[in-house]
Structure formats: C-alpha cells, structure tokens
Amino acid sequence: MIKRITLIFLTAMIYMSSLVIPANAENAGTEGTKPWMNTKLSAEERTELLLDAMTMEQKIQQIAISRFNENDKGDPVVIKRGGTSKYMNGEFAPQGTLPGCEFQDTGRQIKGIEELGIPTVRMTNGGTGVKGGSCHNDPLATGLPSTPGLAATFDRELNYEAGRILGEETRAFAHHVFLGPGMNLIRHPYGGRNYEYFSEDPYLTGTLAIEQTKGIQDQGVQVQLKHMAGNEQETERWTMGVQVPSQAMNELYMLPFEMTVRDADPASVMCSFPDVNGTYACDSSELLQDALRKNWGFNGYVMSDRRAIHDTVAAIKAGTNVELDWAPQYYTQEKIQEALDSGAVTEDDIDNLLRPRYIKMIEFGHMDEPFDKFMPEIVDPMANGATARKMAEEGSVLLKNDNGFLPLDGEPKSIALIGIETFAGAAKMSPRSVRDDNDYVVTPYTVTPQEGLENVIKELGYNTKVTYNNGSDPKAAAKLAAESDVVLLMVGDNPHETVDRETLGFPALNLKSGVAEQEPLIDAVMEANPENTVVVLKTSGTSIMPWLDKVPAVLQAWYPGMEDGNAVANLLYGKVNPSGKLPMTFGATEREAAFATEKQYPGTRQDTGKVGGPGPYGDGKSDQLIAQYTEGLEMGYRWYEANNVKPVFPFGYGLSYTTFEYGDLKVKKVRDTGKDGKGALSGLDVSFTVTNTGDVAGKEAAQVYLTLPDEAGQPTKRLVNFEKVDLEPGESQRVTVRINHADSNHPFSYFVPEEPDNLANWADGEWATVDGKYRVHVGGSSADTPLEKDIPLNFKIDKDNGKGNNKGNKGNN
C-alpha cells in the first residue's frame, strides 16, 4: 500500500512539472503516457513508474530470453526439432527490429515492448572477440589472444585496452551486453574452457578482470561476469556438482568475482551450471543473495547460463533475474502464474527480478538511445589489430632459451616451419564452438606463421628461406628438419566448450581435411634435428613435454589471435623482447596438485538424488558426478610451495633476452590520517629497485607476495601486487606499490567460516586479520623472490572500517 501511494504521489509531481519536459518528448516521454521516459528522473524513479505500468504478463515476458527474427525482410525461419528439444522449435517471421540482423538460432535477446518504450536487449558472447550474439551475421571483429595470454602480460593497461576493443565492437554490432569476461580459476590444466579464463591466482584474475570490465563498460556496453561459481571443468557440466570448502570458496574461487563487483561495478553476472555445495548455482540464495548481494553489495542483475535453472521458485527467490535458453523452460507464463496463484512467489518477487536490470538499462542509456543499426564506422580494424599484436607479443612466455639460441639472426639460410595447419599453417585463434574444427571470430584479416616470418626476414634484410610442412607425413617433415638450419615446430592443444582435455600432451585433431596427428610428428622431428629446434606452444596452458631437455628453446604463445604470425616472428627474431609471465604453474605429471586424484577431478559419482551423466538433462541412469576440492587452499602454486614440490615452470615465471636484478627492499607502514597524523595502520608501501643487467631493453613483471602469520593457517604466500617495468640496458627503476588492508582482495586477511563443516552455508563467516609477523616477498616468479622482509603488523580496525571488506579482527590491539 505504501508503495502504491508513493507512486501515485510521484506521478502527480511529475505531471505538475510538465512545463520543464525536454523538447524531444518522443525520447523523454510525456507524463500522460510514459512518465518513466522522463530523463530528468533518476533511474530508480523511472523504474518504479515503469513497473507500476506493466501487466504481469509483460513482466513475465521480460525475465526470459525471447528468440526472434530481428531482420526487416526475407522469409520466415522455421526450426523443427524432435525429442527433448521441442521447446527450441518455432516459426520466426521478420519483425524489423534491427534491419540486416539475420536470424540466430541460439539468439540472446530479451524482446522489447514497444508500447512501453522498452527496447530489445541484445547480448553477444564473450571471450576474446565479438561473435555469437543475437544476429547470425557476425561482424568483422578483432581476434584477440586467448585470455591466459592476456593475463600473462601482467599488464593492467593492455587488459583495459582489450576491454575497450571488445566494448567498442559490441556497440558497433548494435548489442547492449557483453557476456564476459570469464573469471573461473584455472584449478587444473584439463579445463575445456581454460583458454577463456585468466589464471590460477585469484588476485591476478580479479585485477585484470577489473580492467577489462572497466574498458568494456566505458564504451556504454554492459558486462556480464561469468560463470559464478564452481565452473572449473566441462565434463558433465550441466549435471555435475562441486564440493568446495568454505575457506577455499571465499579466498580463491569467489574472490575474483568479489574484487570485480566491488571495484568495477559490473552491470550483471551469469550464474553457472554446477550444483554448488548442494544447490545448483542459479537456484542458490547462498550464492546469489548472501554472497553476491548482501556481502558484496552487488546491485546489478543475474542471468542464468543456458539451461542452468532447475527450479522456478528457487531461482526467483535466489534472484536469477533472467533465464537464458532457446525459450524459457522455468520462467514461463504458466509456471510463474502457478507459483503466484499458490503464494510461493509474489508480484514483488517478480518486480525484484526486473528492477535492477531496468535500472542498469537506464544508467547505460539503453532505455533512451536505440541500438537500431550496425555502426562499423566507429571501429578502426587496423589500429585494433596492431593492439592485438602487442598483446600477443607481451603475453608470450619464453620458457627455455639455452645458450642464447634465441633470438634468431640472419645466419640461418633455411628455416623449416613444421606443424599441423591449425598451429603452423594458420593464425591460431581462440575456440568459439564445440567442435575440433572451431568457428572463430570473423576477423578483417589474419597473419599466418609463414607470412609473419617472411615479413620480419624481409624487414631485417636477411636471406633466409622458410619452408612449411603440415606434418601429414612425419617422415617428410623429419627430412625437411634434418636439412634445415633451424626448425620451428609449432604444436598445440584444442580443448573447447563441453569437453575437457583428455591429455596434457598434443592430441590428434579431427579436421575437415582428416585426422591430423601431432605426437608422431613431434617424435620424428626430435629424432631428426632436436638441437636446432625451437618449439612454439599454442596451448590453453600446461603441457607435458618429455622432449624438453632435447631442444634449446621453447616459447609459449598461447592462442595468439589474428596477428599470430607477426607477433611470434617478432619475438623469435628479437624485434620484441619476450616479457610474458606464466599465469599458471606447469607441473611435471598428468596427476598432481588439485588434480592428483579422480575424486578431485573430474569427480566421482554420488547418489545425491539428482540426475547425473552427460548432456543437459543427464543420461537417466547415472548418479551425479561430484568434484571434491579436497585440496582446499592448496591449489596452483600454493600446492607446490606448501608441499615443497618443484614444478617444471612456476607461476609468474618467464625468461627474457636480457637479465634483471632486484635490490634495496624497503617496507613502510601506511596509516590513515588522524588528528595527530598518526591514524590507524591501513597498509604497506613496498619499495624496491629493478635493474636491467643485460645488453638489450626489456620489460620485467615484478611480483609482490605476502605470507600471513602462522595463525592465519595459510599454506603459503599469496600474490598481492605486481608492476611491469620497461628498462633500457643498465637502467634501474625504483618501484613502489601499495597494499591496503581495505583492498577488495583482502590481502592481509583470511576467511573464517561460521560453520566450517557445513558446506551449504559456505558464505556465512567473516574476514579476519591477525596481529603478528607478516613476510613480504618480491621477485620474478612465485618460486623466485630474492627480496624478503619480515614486518610486525597490528591492524586496529573495527567491523565497519574498510567499506565492509573486513568484517572481523582477530587478535588484541
């Protein structure tokens, strides 16, 4: 009743102020017809007026994807499927919402309501390029490097620039929402979508996701963070569950999302497929209410992954604002009306689903500015391509370089470029589909490895011939290798959505031209000329390399994107000095760390009473597959450090063509400003000097780690900051980074669960900070921190200090 009186009063006040309505009343609205279109009102005021004007049928239509044909011409599109996919059927006549938008069967639209002035909202799939949106005719878009490659730059500005490109090209595509970035952690190297995720470390992931989010949203496009939470594998992704200890859940897997919500204000979040600690993510109040909204203060909206809702009432109560599917299955008129009639949900519950999305639409201008045409003219594809090349160069990691084998010079007269077409014959792009022959971003151009090599050789004035062999005949490849001065062997993996990696080796690919084998090719080349072979890895992450000791040099190029050829060639010839650092640990065996046991990955079957097996609806006979995160906090480099196991290549590792020296570490306490200038301790300033001790210019990503006192129960140190410096030969630079207690990554704190043994209440608890001796570590990787200093800290912080980031304080001050 109070709400109704308030709205009547608000409407009356708007009517009385009609003399100050903007001239463009068609956009601003008129008080008599669409008062919610008055741009002089706040987003919250406009939203309440709009909700009051809507019928329940309209409200229900607005909380689910409506797959429809936005083109303005052509014949109706008819989709006929049988079996369990009947809800995907339909006849879709052209409706003229976006001229030239060809029907997309997996469309991601929320259909507008013209009479209310609500525009259609279009969403395009995220990742490393704009593709897979509400229109089948994908735009020409920049093919960026895969996300681990962007993370390996350890460069905030480059990740902001990645976001800018993605946001700009989404806007040019007349889409409102970018579904990304992907922020799940690389818990193990088998993850089928690891190429979409940043790293194994929550701080690095969160820091760079913040930059990408800001870059995208600064272009007027909404970000949708994904996939929250527990989506660290693709095996049986629709039906599987995860059991994650509360401390690990909050300190590792949720932390990047928390950081980005607090520091970048993303418009939306996508809830994931897995059954998280006993409740499916999109039905989980623990996830979407307690953690996301109450603990972090998130004020945006949540959309489900496709087919990730399992219960209509639970999803509504949890706050899943939009159902993504070909057509609604749980947010249907019938099911919601039934829930309303029974009293299981109320109209206020439905309004609560719509309210944050409309507020965001208004804040971003999407309610007032029509996205009614494509705008390719706002994109400079060549400039964006040059930036993509820089990202690929800065993110590539030099893993091995014995006796200065690289960079190459003009001495070799012949180079054998060897590898199957996917990795050596074409620019390697990030996968964008569920097949070995992936559909990639549609780019304005690509640069193949051979083209890139020949470009650099010509530019440098060398007389070197490059001969390509696609590896279809290993004997012929071996012969070419034996006859060549230098061999460039390019190999990789090709995981993709719905499928995890079967091996950490180099698999055969099912290409249109037939099966392409890699392992026999590698063996043949290693037999023929290993001492002159440079291996270029184009993988999603960790690879097992039994031949590592045989070759002088290895370069991890990830999936370099559209500028693959130029970027890799520039690195191999030293036009660009490698400066990338590994965003994940490279282990030595197929089973160790967080993937040591089957129970950890991919999980074992448990009789939970829920469906199991592959496919969106399970196989009707299997128990649910449950992955148990029994390693707790010992994931990634934390496991190797805690168990004193030396990996092949540690987190943060990367070589250069020059050398760097660290020195003169100073750690200074930072205090809030008080009346006497001696306020409460608020953090640390960490200062040190980095010197280029080699003969060429280079960049070094200096990393700062922190070890908490023993009482905190942490397995090892944690990354808390980094800075990338660019130095000429012999040049030194003083670096100072600040670590604040109130930072969103809780650098000095640890999570204390309210009920440690009750996984269902994993979000209940508080962040605590102990008094005692903290150790600061500085260096070039997690395993190489030559500068270390102990410092006693005594944080005097009450519950409400630090913007709610630290809810508790252990120890006496």
Side-chain angles (χ1 to χ4, degrees):
M1 186 65 182
I2 293 174
K3 175 185 173 185
R4 175 67 64 178
I5 293 172
T6 301
L7 288 170
I8 291 172
F9 175 76
L10 183 57
T11 304
M13 292 298 293
I14 296 167
Y15 180 77
M16 292 172 64
S17 63
S18 60
L19 294 177
V20 295
I21 291 298
N24 58 334
E26 188 172 355
N27 289 330
T30 62
E31 286 60 28
T33 56
K34 301 175 186 175
W36 55 88
M37 296 302 290
N38 186 344
T39 56
K40 291 188 175 295
L41 299 176
S42 70
E44 291 77 10
E45 290 170 328
R46 292 176 62 181
T47 295
E48 295 307 323
L49 289 167
L50 173 57
L51 291 174
D52 192 51
M54 296 175 72
T55 67
M56 181 53 66
E57 183 178 2
Q58 289 171 328
K59 290 178 179 180
I60 295 172
Q61 180 267 319
Q62 282 282 289
I63 58 175
I65 294 298
S66 300
R67 172 166 143 262
F68 69 106
N69 187 353
E70 293 206 65
N71 211 334
D72 60 338
K73 58 187 176 181
D75 297 325
V77 177
V78 179
I79 304 294
K80 293 182 178 179
R81 288 188 175 88
T84 58
S85 298
K86 289 182 179 179
Y87 77 106
M88 298 163 68
N89 297 342
E91 181 172 326
F92 306 93
Q95 297 187 32
T97 313
L98 178 62
C101 176
E102 297 177 7
F103 177 74
Q104 170 66 280
D105 187 31
T106 56
R108 299 169 173 88
Q109 305 130 301
I110 302 176
K111 190 173 183 179
I113 303 176
E114 186 175 355
E115 60 269 29
L116 293 176
I118 302 174
T120 290
V121 172
R122 302 180 198 93
M123 308 181 187
T124 186
N125 216 355
T128 51
V130 176
K131 178 183 174 65
S134 297
C135 306
H136 180 67
N137 46 316
D138 291 308
L140 289 178
T142 306
L144 299 175
S146 55
T147 307
L150 293 170
T153 66
F154 274 70
D155 190 305
R156 293 173 176 85
E157 291 182 6
L158 278 180
N159 277 270
Y160 178 89
E161 186 65 9
R164 184 201 64 77
I165 290 171
L166 294 168
E168 174 187 86
E169 295 182 358
T170 297
R171 177 62 186 92
F173 192 30
H175 282 54
H176 307 79
V177 185
F178 181 83
L179 305 182
M183 297 171 56
N184 298 96
L185 295 186
I186 300 176
R187 172 178 174 247
H188 57 82
Y190 292 94
R193 298 179 79 174
N194 282 354
Y195 57 83
E196 289 187 42
Y197 305 145
F198 290 88
S199 78
E200 69 184 29
D201 181 75
Y203 176 76
L204 180 63
T205 296
T207 298
L208 299 183
I210 287 166
E211 295 303 320
Q212 288 197 16
T213 296
K214 290 178 178 178
I216 294 166
Q217 293 197 157
D218 283 352
Q219 310 311 307
V221 170
Q222 298 177 32
V223 153
Q224 186 164 114
L225 310 180
K226 64 183 189 183
H227 312 83
M228 200 177 78
N231 205 146
E232 282 78 44
Q233 72 183 55
E234 291 295 290
T235 301
E236 298 191 17
R237 66 174 185 172
W238 288 285
T239 61
M240 63 88 62
V242 295
Q243 294 176 354
V244 191
S246 178
Q247 197 172 0
M249 190 72 167
N250 287 278
E251 292 188 24
L252 298 180
Y253 301 100
M254 293 291 282
L255 189 57
F257 291 97
E258 178 180 358
M259 292 173 63
T260 310
V261 165
R262 290 187 185 278
D263 294 348
D265 193 22
S268 60
V269 167
M270 178 181 286
C271 53
S272 62
F273 291 117
D275 182 15
V276 180
N277 285 346
T279 306
Y280 281 103
C282 295
D283 303 341
S284 174
S285 291
E286 189 79 6
L287 181 69
L288 304 181
Q289 292 293 347
D290 295 351
L292 179 61
R293 292 182 168 98
K294 294 177 185 176
N295 293 352
W296 306 346
F298 176 67
N299 62 3
Y301 62 95
V302 175
M303 186 172 82
S304 73
D305 210 335
R306 197 180 296 270
R307 295 181 297 260
I309 289 177
H310 292 259
D311 182 279
T312 300
V313 173
I316 291 173
K317 291 292 188 180
T320 298
N321 304 77
V322 179
E323 179 184 10
L324 170 63
D325 212 324
W326 274 264
Q329 293 198 81
Y330 291 91
Y331 284 7
T332 64
Q333 296 281 344
E334 296 77 16
K335 287 184 178 180
I336 293 183
Q337 191 59 56
E338 181 182 336
L340 288 165
D341 292 344
S342 71
V345 300
T346 66
E347 183 171 358
D348 280 345
D349 290 325
I350 306 304
D351 287 353
N352 287 339
L353 298 186
L354 290 167
R355 185 175 287 110
R357 189 170 68 80
Y358 287 153
I359 289 173
K360 289 300 178 184
M361 286 177 65
I362 293 167
E363 288 177 347
F364 277 79
H366 297 164
M367 195 75 82
D368 305 306
E369 180 186 355
F371 283 23
D372 55 4
K373 64 178 181 178
F374 302 125
M375 299 171 60
E377 66 275 6
I378 71 172
V379 177
D380 184 340
M382 300 308 294
N384 287 353
T387 303
R389 182 181 69 246
K390 181 175 176 62
M391 293 169 184
E393 292 167 348
E394 297 261 337
S396 293
V397 183
L398 184 60
L399 297 177
K400 183 178 182 182
N401 191 28
D402 287 354
N403 301 316
F405 191 88
L406 293 177
L408 300 174
D409 55 26
E411 185 175 333
K413 298 305 178 187
S414 59
I415 291 178
L417 172 62
I418 298 175
I420 68 173
E421 183 179 355
T422 302
F423 305 113
K428 180 67 182 85
M429 308 282 285
S430 282
R432 296 303 296 266
S433 73
V434 296
R435 301 184 301 274
D436 272 1
D437 267 339
N438 275 285
D439 294 324
Y440 304 115
V441 172
V442 181
T443 58
Y445 68 90
T446 60
V447 182
T448 70
Q450 184 166 358
E451 289 171 340
L453 289 166
E454 291 174 346
N455 287 342
V456 173
I457 289 168
K458 181 179 179 181
E459 181 182 347
L460 296 176
Y462 295 153
N463 182 26
T464 306
K465 182 180 180 182
V466 179
T467 304
Y468 172 55
N469 183 288
N470 67 8
S472 58
D473 181 352
K475 289 184 178 179
K479 184 175 184 295
L480 175 64
E483 295 170 348
S484 301
D485 296 328
V486 171
V487 181
L488 300 179
L489 178 62
M490 297 189 176
V491 294
D493 62 4
N494 202 34
H496 44 77
E497 191 171 352
T498 76
V499 177
D500 286 325
R501 293 170 71 180
E502 294 181 357
T503 173
L504 300 186
F506 302 91
L509 272 59
N510 294 310
L511 306 179
K512 293 174 183 176
S513 56
V515 176
E517 297 274 2
Q518 293 193 91
E519 293 289 359
L521 176 63
I522 295 171
D523 291 342
V525 172
M526 292 301 161
E527 182 70 24
N529 192 3
E531 64 275 11
N532 292 303
T533 294
V534 177
V535 178
V536 178
L537 300 175
K538 297 183 180 179
T539 68
S540 59
T542 302
S543 299
I544 303 296
M545 298 171 277
W547 36 261
L548 183 60
D549 290 341
K550 297 181 179 179
V551 298
V554 179
L555 178 72
Q556 170 60 273
W558 314 104
Y559 306 150
M562 60 189 272
E563 278 273 353
D564 178 336
N566 285 334
V568 171
N570 286 344
L571 291 161
L572 293 175
Y573 272 93
K575 277 194 64 186
V576 175
N577 193 346
S579 62
K581 299 278 192 171
L582 287 180
M584 77 284 286
T585 307
F586 274 36
T589 68
E590 299 268 351
R591 284 287 185 181
E592 59 190 45
F595 51 103
T597 68
E598 183 182 0
K599 181 183 289 187
Q600 292 170 296
Y601 169 80
T604 54
R605 299 205 180 276
Q606 297 182 19
D607 183 4
T608 62
K610 299 177 181 178
V611 297
Y617 312 103
D619 59 12
K621 58 185 179 182
S622 298
D623 288 336
Q624 192 177 28
L625 184 69
I626 303 292
Q628 299 178 58
Y629 291 33
T630 55
E631 70 279 358
L633 296 175
E634 292 186 12
M635 186 272 284
Y637 64 87
R638 291 165 167 83
W639 182 87
Y640 292 89
E641 295 267 330
N643 292 279
N644 198 27
V645 176
K646 185 178 180 181
V648 178
F649 299 114
F651 172 86
Y653 169 87
L655 299 175
S656 169
Y657 294 148
T658 188
T659 52
F660 299 96
E661 184 176 281
Y662 289 80
D664 194 19
L665 173 64
K666 296 188 184 307
V667 181
K668 179 183 177 182
K669 295 179 182 180
V670 178
R671 297 187 178 276
D672 292 327
T673 303
K675 291 182 180 179
D676 56 358
K678 295 181 179 180
L681 178 66
S682 61
L684 296 175
D685 275 346
V686 179
S687 300
F688 52 94
T689 300
V690 184
T691 302
N692 182 343
T693 54
D695 298 326
V696 295
K699 297 181 180 180
E700 169 73 349
Q703 300 151 51
V704 180
Y705 296 83
L706 190 66
T707 296
L708 274 56
D710 292 343
E711 187 181 341
Q714 299 291 298
T716 182
K717 57 180 176 271
R718 57 170 67 163
L719 182 70
V720 292
N721 216 322
F722 58 86
E723 189 73 30
K724 197 166 189 177
V725 295
D726 189 356
L727 300 171
E728 292 297 319
E731 183 184 5
S732 296
Q733 183 171 324
R734 191 70 180 163
V735 177
T736 299
V737 299
R738 177 161 293 182
I739 308 165
N740 292 308
H741 185 280
D743 287 343
S744 60
N745 60 310
H746 310 280
F748 298 95
S749 304
Y750 65 103
F751 190 80
V752 181
E754 194 170 285
E755 300 177 86
D757 297 326
N758 185 352
L759 290 184
N761 289 343
W762 58 264
D764 295 341
E766 60 183 17
W767 289 89
T769 307
V770 299
D771 303 332
K773 182 179 70 177
Y774 289 73
R775 177 168 292 180
V776 175
H777 314 253
V778 178
S781 79
S782 61
D784 180 22
T785 52
L787 305 183
E788 296 186 343
K789 185 176 181 63
D790 291 340
I791 184 167
L793 297 178
N794 193 333
F795 286 99
K796 190 174 183 179
I797 296 179
D798 61 31
K799 266 192 172 185
D800 297 323
N801 197 22
K803 301 179 181 178
N805 279 340
N806 294 275
K807 296 186 174 183
N809 184 49
K810 271 197 160 186
N812 297 318
N813 290 287

